[in-house]
Coordinates of all heavy atoms in Angstrom, one line a residue:
Q235 N 143.6 89.1 -110.8 CA 144.5 89.4 -109.7 C 143.9 90.4 -108.7 O 144.2 90.4 -107.5 CB 145.8 89.9 -110.2 CG 145.7 91.1 -111.1 CD 147.0 91.8 -111.3 OE1 147.9 91.7 -110.5 NE2 147.1 92.4 -112.5
K236 N 143.0 91.2 -109.2 CA 142.3 92.2 -108.3 C 140.9 91.7 -108.1 O 140.0 91.9 -108.9 CB 142.3 93.6 -109.0 CG 141.9 94.7 -108.1 CD 142.9 95.0 -107.0 CE 142.6 96.2 -106.2 NZ 143.5 96.4 -105.1
C237 N 140.7 91.1 -106.9 CA 139.4 90.4 -106.6 C 139.2 90.5 -105.1 O 140.1 90.8 -104.4 CB 139.4 89.0 -107.2 SG 140.6 87.9 -106.4
V238 N 138.0 90.0 -104.8 CA 137.6 89.9 -103.4 C 137.1 88.5 -103.1 O 136.4 87.9 -103.9 CB 136.5 90.9 -103.0 CG1 136.1 90.8 -101.5 CG2 136.9 92.4 -103.3
I239 N 137.6 87.9 -102.0 CA 137.2 86.6 -101.6 C 136.3 86.6 -100.4 O 136.7 87.3 -99.4 CB 138.4 85.7 -101.4 CG1 139.3 85.6 -102.7 CG2 138.0 84.3 -100.9 CD1 140.5 86.4 -102.7
R240 N 135.2 86.0 -100.4 CA 134.3 85.9 -99.2 C 134.4 84.5 -98.7 O 134.2 83.5 -99.3 CB 132.9 86.2 -99.6 CG 131.9 86.1 -98.4 CD 130.5 86.6 -98.7 NE 129.9 85.9 -99.8 CZ 128.7 86.2 -100.3 NH1 128.1 87.3 -99.9 NH2 128.1 85.5 -101.2
G241 N 134.8 84.4 -97.4 CA 135.0 83.1 -96.7 C 134.0 82.9 -95.7 O 133.4 83.8 -95.0
R242 N 133.7 81.6 -95.5 CA 132.8 81.2 -94.4 C 133.4 80.1 -93.6 O 134.0 79.2 -94.2 CB 131.4 80.7 -95.0 CG 130.7 81.8 -95.8 CD 129.5 81.1 -96.5 NE 128.8 82.1 -97.4 CZ 127.8 82.9 -97.1 NH1 127.3 82.8 -95.8 NH2 127.3 83.7 -97.9
M243 N 133.3 80.1 -92.3 CA 133.8 79.0 -91.5 C 133.0 78.9 -90.2 O 132.5 79.9 -89.7 CB 135.3 79.2 -91.2 CG 135.6 80.5 -90.4 SD 137.4 80.7 -90.1 CE 137.4 82.2 -89.1
Y244 N 132.8 77.7 -89.8 CA 132.1 77.4 -88.6 C 133.0 77.4 -87.4 O 134.0 76.6 -87.3 CB 131.3 76.1 -88.6 CG 130.4 75.8 -87.4 CD1 129.2 76.3 -87.4 CD2 130.9 75.0 -86.4 CE1 128.3 76.1 -86.3 CE2 130.1 74.8 -85.3 CZ 128.8 75.3 -85.2 OH 128.0 75.1 -84.2
V245 N 132.8 78.3 -86.4 CA 133.6 78.5 -85.2 C 132.9 77.7 -84.1 O 131.8 78.1 -83.7 CB 133.8 80.0 -84.9 CG1 134.7 80.1 -83.6 CG2 134.4 80.7 -86.0
E246 N 133.5 76.7 -83.6 CA 132.9 75.8 -82.6 C 132.7 76.5 -81.3 O 131.7 76.3 -80.6 CB 133.8 74.6 -82.4 CG 133.9 73.7 -83.7 CD 134.8 72.5 -83.4 OE1 135.4 72.4 -82.3 OE2 134.8 71.6 -84.3
A247 N 133.6 77.4 -80.9 CA 133.5 78.1 -79.6 C 132.3 79.1 -79.6 O 131.6 79.3 -78.6 CB 134.7 78.9 -79.3
M248 N 132.0 79.6 -80.8 CA 130.8 80.6 -80.9 C 129.5 79.8 -81.3 O 128.5 80.4 -81.1 CB 131.2 81.6 -82.0 CG 132.4 82.4 -81.7 SD 132.9 83.5 -83.1 CE 131.5 84.7 -83.1
G249 N 129.7 78.6 -81.8 CA 128.5 77.9 -82.2 C 127.8 78.4 -83.4 O 126.6 78.1 -83.6
R250 N 128.5 79.1 -84.3 CA 127.8 79.6 -85.5 C 128.9 79.8 -86.6 O 130.1 79.7 -86.4 CB 127.1 80.9 -85.2 CG 128.0 82.1 -84.8 CD 127.3 83.4 -84.7 NE 128.1 84.5 -84.3 CZ 128.8 85.3 -85.2 NH1 128.7 85.0 -86.5 NH2 129.5 86.3 -84.8
E251 N 128.3 80.2 -87.8 CA 129.2 80.4 -88.9 C 129.6 81.9 -88.9 O 128.9 82.8 -88.6 CB 128.4 80.1 -90.2 CG 129.2 80.3 -91.5 CD 128.4 80.0 -92.7 OE1 127.4 80.8 -93.0 OE2 128.7 79.1 -93.4
V252 N 130.9 82.1 -89.3 CA 131.5 83.5 -89.4 C 131.7 83.8 -90.8 O 132.3 83.0 -91.6 CB 132.7 83.6 -88.5 CG1 133.4 84.9 -88.8 CG2 132.4 83.4 -87.0
I253 N 131.4 85.0 -91.3 CA 131.6 85.4 -92.7 C 132.7 86.5 -92.6 O 132.6 87.4 -91.9 CB 130.3 86.0 -93.3 CG1 129.2 84.9 -93.3 CG2 130.6 86.4 -94.7 CD1 127.9 85.4 -93.8
F254 N 133.6 86.4 -93.5 CA 134.8 87.3 -93.6 C 135.2 87.5 -95.0 O 134.7 86.8 -95.9 CB 135.9 86.9 -92.7 CG 136.5 85.5 -93.1 CD1 137.6 85.5 -94.0 CD2 135.9 84.3 -92.7 CE1 138.2 84.3 -94.4 CE2 136.4 83.1 -93.1 CZ 137.6 83.1 -93.9
Y255 N 136.1 88.4 -95.2 CA 136.6 88.8 -96.6 C 138.1 88.9 -96.6 O 138.7 89.1 -95.5 CB 136.0 90.1 -97.1 CG 134.5 90.2 -97.0 CD1 133.9 90.7 -95.8 CD2 133.7 89.8 -98.0 CE1 132.5 90.7 -95.7 CE2 132.3 89.9 -97.9 CZ 131.7 90.3 -96.8 OH 130.4 90.4 -96.7
F256 N 138.7 88.7 -97.7 CA 140.1 89.1 -97.9 C 140.4 89.3 -99.4 O 139.6 88.9 -100.2 CB 141.1 88.0 -97.3 CG 141.0 86.7 -97.9 CD1 141.9 86.2 -98.9 CD2 140.0 85.8 -97.5 CE1 141.8 85.0 -99.4 CE2 139.9 84.5 -98.0 CZ 140.8 84.1 -99.0
Y257 N 141.5 90.0 -99.7 CA 141.9 90.3 -101.0 C 143.4 90.3 -101.2 O 144.1 90.7 -100.2 CB 141.3 91.6 -101.5 CG 141.7 92.8 -100.8 CD1 142.8 93.6 -101.3 CD2 141.1 93.2 -99.6 CE1 143.2 94.7 -100.6 CE2 141.5 94.4 -99.0 CZ 142.6 95.1 -99.4 OH 143.0 96.2 -98.8
P258 N 144.0 89.9 -102.3 CA 145.4 90.0 -102.5 C 145.9 91.2 -103.2 O 145.2 91.9 -104.0 CB 145.6 88.8 -103.4 CG 144.4 88.7 -104.3 CD 143.3 89.2 -103.4
D259 N 147.1 91.7 -102.9 CA 147.8 92.8 -103.6 C 149.3 92.7 -103.4 O 149.7 91.7 -102.8 CB 147.2 94.1 -103.2 CG 147.5 94.5 -101.8 OD1 148.2 93.7 -101.1 OD2 147.2 95.6 -101.4
N260 N 150.0 93.7 -103.9 CA 151.4 93.7 -103.7 C 152.1 92.5 -104.2 O 152.9 91.8 -103.5 CB 151.8 93.9 -102.2 CG 153.3 94.3 -102.0 OD1 153.9 94.8 -102.9 ND2 153.8 94.0 -100.8
L261 N 151.9 92.2 -105.5 CA 152.4 91.0 -106.1 C 153.9 91.2 -106.4 O 154.3 92.2 -106.9 CB 151.7 90.7 -107.4 CG 150.5 89.8 -107.3 CD1 149.4 90.4 -106.5 CD2 149.9 89.4 -108.7
K262 N 154.7 90.2 -106.1 CA 156.1 90.2 -106.3 C 156.5 88.8 -107.0 O 156.0 87.8 -106.6 CB 156.9 90.4 -105.0 CG 156.7 91.7 -104.4 CD 157.5 91.9 -103.2 CE 157.3 93.3 -102.5 NZ 158.1 93.4 -101.3
K263 N 157.5 88.9 -107.9 CA 157.8 87.7 -108.7 C 158.5 86.7 -107.8 O 159.3 87.0 -106.9 CB 158.8 88.1 -109.8 CG 159.0 87.0 -110.9 CD 157.7 86.9 -111.7 CE 158.0 85.9 -112.9 NZ 158.2 84.6 -112.4
G264 N 158.1 85.4 -107.9 CA 158.6 84.3 -107.1 C 157.6 83.8 -106.1 O 156.8 84.6 -105.6
K265 N 157.8 82.6 -105.7 CA 156.8 82.0 -104.7 C 157.4 82.1 -103.3 O 158.6 82.2 -103.1 CB 156.6 80.5 -105.1 CG 157.8 79.6 -104.9 CD 157.4 78.2 -105.2 CE 158.6 77.2 -104.8 NZ 158.7 77.1 -103.4
P266 N 156.5 82.0 -102.3 CA 156.9 82.0 -100.9 C 157.8 80.7 -100.7 O 157.6 79.7 -101.3 CB 155.6 81.9 -100.1 CG 154.6 82.5 -101.1 CD 155.0 82.0 -102.4
S267 N 158.7 80.9 -99.7 CA 159.6 79.7 -99.4 C 158.9 78.5 -98.8 O 159.4 77.4 -99.0 CB 160.7 80.2 -98.5 OG 160.2 80.7 -97.3
D268 N 157.8 78.8 -98.1 CA 157.1 77.7 -97.4 C 155.9 77.2 -98.2 O 155.0 76.5 -97.6 CB 156.8 78.1 -96.0 CG 155.9 79.3 -96.0 OD1 155.8 80.0 -97.0 OD2 155.4 79.7 -94.9
M269 N 155.7 77.5 -99.5 CA 154.6 77.1 -100.2 C 155.0 76.4 -101.5 O 156.0 76.9 -102.1 CB 153.6 78.2 -100.5 CG 152.7 78.7 -99.4 SD 151.5 79.9 -99.9 CE 150.7 80.1 -98.3

């Protein structure tokens, strides 16, 4: 549950790949209403 995710995506307007990160926290019981 405590981890880091590294993402890659190709942005057409920039003409190259973009590298970014994100991580989860603040866990609360129950799922989101739209997932």
Side-chain angles (χ1 to χ4, degrees):
Q235 59 167 328
K236 192 66 176 176
C237 64
V238 180
I239 300 100
R240 179 169 65 185
R242 301 173 186 267
M243 62 182 178
Y244 184 83
V245 182
E246 296 179 353
M248 300 174 68
R250 67 173 179 87
E251 184 182 64
V252 173
I253 301 175
F254 60 97
Y255 309 89
F256 62 97
Y257 63 93
D259 68 356
N260 191 25
L261 272 63
K262 295 181 180 179
K263 196 71 175 64
K265 70 179 186 66
S267 58
D268 56 348
M269 285 186 178

